[in-house]
């Protein structure tokens, strides 16, 4: 009997027991769909995180004070005052692998305009900060170097600040109060929305760093220094350059521990991607167990089918069908059930992953390779769990099979 005839016989056998075949497929359908959905959520989340980090600048380098030991007690990095004006000035003066630099001073409090108020954060920055963090001015202008020299009481605000304080009013030229300090709004930032961590990126006020240092916080040190490497590939070279400058400035010799830390955006991306890959793997493995159960279900149904068709098998052997041919027929039936269930599972998984999950506001992206892998796994499951029933059918004694009732 040729392969084409075997396929016709197998399809007829599967079709003769539609409900049983469908129930056998159901486990495969659910298992494959679950695997694809889990992978799409993991991939979508990873792409969403990468996109959010990219909006902060892919070449971004952040220098923060490092915690040190005092009297055997490790200090809080936020309490350290190791980043000073001399560090910023030296970086600006001697940088080779860095294009833009901005010292950063932060303050949290209430912004007030008229009867409206909102809790927000103010960032004291240089004029290069917007380019480093990929911000754009939608309306008005940014502050200037002259404003920085004078510690001018001017600021640019995010879209959330405009919404909360001004409503339908035009914000440019209006004066808000932050910690009792009047600040004139000279620009509005283009909206970035919420990131993957649920943080409102538009709830921000940006002012000259000298203004925040002198008028708001009354301090002489920076909370951090943000820089932009020439390219993402040169981030490591930029980190080495910055490290050497700061160690020289802070007079750290030999094996002395750095009193600062430098992180690149690439490190954050790698860390978050690694975390999401681990979470996705756990979810996929959990979903894959349902495929194992489905395979056992197929084997069980095929064993029942072999028992029910014992007399048919004996008759076919009596008219010349060999053991390998009988075995191949039942193997084809098992693969047909598995692959058909897999195709339906792929269709269901792609539909949920590409349409339903995004409709619920969750990031999702079905990787193409997950479809190919799911299909091949279904073929493997059909062959693996169909082998034992197929061998049982092939090893029957024709005479005993014919006499079977």
């Amino acid at each position: 009997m040729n392969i084409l005839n075997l396929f016709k016989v197998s399809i007829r056998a599967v079709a003769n027991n539609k409900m049983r075949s469908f129930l056998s497929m159901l486990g495969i359908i659910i298992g494959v769909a679950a695997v694809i959905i889990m992978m799409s959520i993991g991939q979508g989340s990873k792409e969403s995180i990468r996109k959010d980090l990219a909006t902060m600048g892919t070449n971004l380098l952040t220098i923060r004070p490092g915690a040190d030991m005092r009297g055997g007690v490790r200090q809080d990095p936020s309490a350290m005052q190791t980043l000073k004006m001399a560090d910023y000035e030296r970086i600006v003066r001697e940088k080779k692998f860095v294009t833009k630099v901005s010292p950063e001073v932060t303050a949290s409090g209430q912004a007030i305009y008229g009867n409206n108020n909102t809790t927000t954060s103010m960032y004291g920055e240089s004029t290069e900060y917007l380019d480093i963090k990929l911000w754009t001015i939608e309306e008005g202008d940014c502050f200037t170097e002259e404003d920085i020299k004078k510690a001018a009481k001017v600021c640019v605000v995010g879209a959330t600040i405009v919404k909360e304080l001004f409503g339908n009013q035009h914000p440019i030229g209006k004066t808000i109060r932050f910690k009792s300090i009047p600040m004139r709004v000279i620009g509005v930032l283009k909206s970035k929305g919420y990131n993957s961590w649920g943080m409102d990126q538009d709830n921000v006020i940006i002012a000259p760093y000298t203004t925040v240092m002198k008028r708001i916080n009354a301090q002489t040190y920076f909370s951090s220094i943000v820089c932009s490497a020439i390219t993402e590939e040169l981030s490591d070279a930029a980190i080495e350059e910055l490290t050497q400058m700061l160690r020289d400035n802070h007079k750290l010799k030999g094996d002395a521990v750095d009193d600062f830390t430098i992180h690149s955006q690439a490190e954050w991306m790698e860390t978050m991607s690694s975390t999401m890959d681990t979470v996705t793997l756990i979810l996929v493995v959990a979903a894959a167990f349902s495929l194992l159960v489905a395979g056992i279900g197929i084997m069980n149904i095929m064993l029942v089918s072999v028992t029910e068709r014992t007399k048919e098998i004996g008759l076919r052997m009596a008219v010349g069908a060999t053991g390998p041919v009988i075995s191949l027929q039942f193997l084809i039936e098992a693969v047909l059930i598995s692959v058909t269930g897999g195709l339906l599972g792929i269709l269901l998984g792609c539909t949920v992953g590409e349409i339903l999950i995004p409709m619920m506001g969750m990031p999702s992206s079905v990787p193409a390779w997950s479809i190919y892998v799911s299909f091949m796994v279904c073929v493997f499951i059909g062959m693996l769990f169909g082998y034992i029933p197929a061998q049982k059918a092939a090893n029957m004694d024709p005479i005993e099979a014919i006499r079977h009732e």
Side-chain angles (χ1 to χ4, degrees):
M1 184 177 287
N2 60 38
I3 294 293
L4 182 59
N5 285 335
L6 279 178
F7 266 101
K8 290 179 179 178
V9 172
S10 299
I11 292 171
R12 193 180 304 117
V14 171
N16 284 339
N17 294 280
K18 295 181 178 62
M19 181 56 69
R20 188 167 67 183
S21 299
F22 174 74
L23 292 176
S24 301
M25 295 175 189
L26 194 57
I28 296 290
I29 293 171
I30 294 172
V32 169
V35 169
I36 291 178
I37 291 168
M38 292 301 103
M39 295 175 84
S40 67
I41 291 174
Q43 183 70 20
S45 298
K46 187 162 67 173
E47 290 177 3
S48 177
I49 289 171
R50 283 183 171 274
K51 183 179 178 181
D52 286 340
L53 291 175
T55 62
M56 303 177 191
T58 55
N59 307 338
L60 178 66
L61 302 174
T62 305
I63 307 169
R64 299 188 186 280
D68 69 348
M69 298 290 289
R70 293 184 185 176
V73 178
R74 184 167 292 278
Q75 303 296 306
D76 184 353
S78 63
M80 298 297 293
Q81 303 179 15
T82 55
L83 299 179
K84 300 294 183 71
M85 183 65 73
D87 298 322
Y88 167 60
E89 290 175 344
R90 180 167 183 178
I91 293 171
V92 171
R93 186 172 60 250
E94 300 180 13
K95 59 184 171 64
K96 294 179 181 178
F97 297 105
V98 171
T99 56
K100 299 181 184 298
V101 188
S102 175
E104 188 168 80
V105 189
T106 60
S108 298
Q110 275 199 328
I112 302 171
Y113 176 75
N115 295 325
N116 299 324
N117 67 84
T118 186
T119 301
T120 186
S121 296
M122 178 175 284
Y123 290 82
E125 308 288 350
S126 74
T127 56
E128 296 184 336
Y129 178 75
L130 299 187
D131 291 331
I132 295 172
K133 287 295 190 79
L134 304 181
W135 279 105
T136 55
I137 297 290
E138 187 172 54
E139 188 178 2
D141 297 299
C142 186
F143 48 84
T144 63
E145 289 293 339
E146 188 65 25
D147 292 326
I148 292 175
K149 290 178 183 178
K150 294 179 179 179
K153 292 182 283 187
V154 295
C155 65
V156 295
V157 298
T160 298
I161 302 297
V162 174
K163 178 183 175 182
E164 294 294 331
L165 297 186
F166 301 103
N168 296 325
Q169 297 185 52
H170 191 261
I172 304 299
K174 300 289 195 304
T175 299
I176 63 175
R177 300 184 70 82
F178 185 86
K179 289 191 174 182
S180 302
I181 305 298
M183 303 287 290
R184 182 166 56 88
V185 177
I186 60 173
V188 176
L189 298 167
K190 186 176 181 179
S191 177
K192 283 190 176 183
Y194 286 83
N195 60 22
S196 297
W197 300 279
M199 186 182 73
D200 185 1
Q201 299 179 89
D202 299 323
N203 187 19
V204 64
I205 301 174
I206 302 175
Y209 67 87
T210 50
T211 304
V212 181
M213 287 179 72
K214 297 176 181 179
R215 301 182 185 276
I216 306 294
N217 288 355
Q219 66 185 53
T220 59
Y221 59 93
F222 300 128
S223 305
S224 60
I225 299 175
V226 292
C227 311
S228 182
I230 296 175
T231 63
E232 189 173 345
E233 291 71 24
L234 291 175
S235 292
D236 289 339
I239 289 175
E240 291 181 14
E241 176 185 63
L242 293 169
T243 299
Q244 191 57 52
M245 286 184 192
L246 293 174
R247 285 185 66 85
D248 289 346
N249 258 26
H250 299 178
K251 297 180 171 54
L252 299 175
K253 305 295 183 182
D255 296 332
V257 179
D258 294 341
D259 58 359
F260 58 89
T261 59
I262 305 176
H263 294 290
S264 68
Q265 200 75 330
E267 290 176 352
W268 284 107
M269 285 186 177
E270 185 176 342
T271 300
M272 294 305 300
S273 293
S274 177
T275 301
M276 288 308 305
D277 285 342
T278 302
V279 173
T280 302
L281 178 62
I282 293 172
L283 294 173
V284 169
V285 168
F289 273 106
S290 63
L291 287 175
L292 178 62
V293 174
I296 295 172
I298 289 176
M299 183 170 65
N300 183 50
I301 291 298
M302 292 306 300
L303 286 171
V304 171
S305 179
V306 169
T307 302
E308 288 179 346
R309 295 158 63 189
T310 299
K311 193 167 186 177
E312 174 195 331
I313 294 169
L315 289 171
R316 293 188 59 197
M317 285 182 169
V319 296
T322 61
V325 171
I326 297 295
S327 175
L328 183 58
Q329 178 190 335
F330 281 93
L331 200 59
I332 290 173
E333 289 181 23
V335 172
L336 276 173
I337 291 173
S338 180
V339 169
T340 304
L343 292 173
L344 293 173
I346 289 171
L347 179 62
L348 176 61
C350 290
T351 301
V352 174
E354 291 290 351
I355 300 175
L356 298 184
I357 293 178
M359 286 175 62
M360 292 186 289
M362 295 173 61
S364 177
S365 175
V366 177
W369 60 268
S370 69
I371 297 174
Y372 306 136
V373 170
S374 296
F375 180 79
M376 296 308 299
V377 167
C378 290
V379 174
F380 176 75
I381 286 176
M383 295 178 67
L384 177 66
F385 290 97
Y387 177 78
I388 292 177
Q391 287 300 107
K392 180 182 177 181
N395 293 330
M396 283 186 178
D397 182 276
I399 296 176
E400 292 296 327
I402 291 173
R403 296 157 108 185
H404 180 80
E405 292 297 336

